[in-house]
Amino acid sequence: MNVFGLRSVNYSVRGYQGRSSNFSAQSSIFQGSPVSKEAAAAGNHHVTLKSGYLYSAANPSSGQELHMNYDETSSEDDPVMLVTGRDMRGNEFSKKIHLNEIDPENATPAEMTALSVHLREQGDKSVQTSSGIPLMATGSQYDLNSKMNFKQYYNDWISTLENSGIRHNVDIYKSELERYLFYYAHNKSAT
């Protein structure tokens, strides 16, 4: 389970009280990156992490929640993730995501997270070795159900790291992005 976001806030998980990491957007090495000070200062929201899911994350800054498991219709040829959650406007949603159809250049954060979870479950080393921070950070600024270009987003993130002199995760994030792009290209050519 994850709590993604930039604020230090209290959260609860079925009676367990915890505290997220204390980072501020002003002191972040990613200042000027897609994670903005305004997003971090958006406010406190009650969020819920759920057990029994392959993935459960909540952003106390934006109030967004994302929980997912494979759908009962999922197969090896057509993996399908059942995704539920709450978007930036507070609207609850539930949808099936066909993972073979996710285009990283036109995908939602929910779709890309579902693809990441699937590749981790499949044992993909490029995705498993990544911290997933760029993907998790989308939950504080971007609506989980709004399309965006993740190729550009990752390249901007990588550029910010390089310009900050932080090279240790650059290759990991490049490899993660390449894996998402390869997965889409491979499945697109198979249809």
Side-chain angles (χ1 to χ4, degrees):
M1 288 192 236
N2 286 312
V3 174
F4 52 91
L6 298 175
R7 292 187 62 144
S8 174
V9 295
N10 289 324
Y11 61 92
S12 62
V13 183
R14 295 186 186 240
Y16 171 81
Q17 289 293 332
R19 190 153 180 90
S20 66
S21 298
N22 186 14
F23 292 102
S24 83
Q26 290 177 331
S27 64
S28 171
I29 59 169
F30 301 109
Q31 188 170 355
S33 76
V35 180
S36 70
K37 180 171 61 174
E38 292 79 22
N44 293 322
H45 297 274
H46 173 76
V47 295
T48 305
L49 298 175
K50 298 181 179 181
S51 62
Y53 287 82
L54 287 175
Y55 181 88
S56 183
N59 187 303
S61 267
S62 66
Q64 296 191 104
E65 294 183 17
L66 193 57
H67 318 285
M68 57 186 68
N69 275 322
Y70 284 106
D71 185 68
E72 61 188 25
T73 63
S74 185
S75 67
E76 190 172 318
D77 292 334
D78 183 21
V80 180
M81 196 71 71
L82 178 61
V83 178
T84 61
R86 186 171 54 222
D87 67 18
M88 204 169 254
R89 293 173 301 285
N91 299 321
E92 292 191 12
F93 64 88
S94 179
K95 60 184 171 180
K96 293 180 183 182
I97 296 175
H98 292 263
L99 303 174
N100 291 346
E101 298 171 6
I102 297 172
D103 175 0
E105 293 185 67
N106 186 32
T108 68
E111 291 170 336
M112 287 301 294
T113 302
L115 180 57
S116 176
V117 168
H118 172 66
L119 291 174
R120 284 179 194 272
E121 287 294 310
Q122 298 301 307
D124 188 283
K125 297 296 181 205
S126 295
V127 177
Q128 287 180 334
T129 58
S130 175
S131 66
I133 290 174
L135 191 54
M136 287 187 297
T138 60
S140 65
Q141 185 175 13
Y142 301 101
D143 188 89
L144 290 172
N145 293 310
S146 295
K147 297 279 186 179
M148 58 187 279
N149 184 335
F150 277 89
K151 180 179 179 183
Q152 183 63 49
Y153 173 77
Y154 266 79
N155 285 331
D156 289 348
W157 193 278
I158 290 164
S159 177
T160 299
L161 286 174
E162 290 174 328
N163 292 336
S164 299
I166 303 170
R167 298 261 334 137
H168 69 276
N169 284 333
V170 166
D171 292 334
I172 291 171
Y173 296 144
K174 282 181 181 179
S175 180
E176 181 181 1
L177 171 61
E178 288 170 3
R179 183 60 183 110
Y180 296 142
L181 294 170
F182 174 79
Y183 185 87
Y184 176 67
H186 175 75
N187 286 306
K188 185 178 178 183
S189 67
T191 57

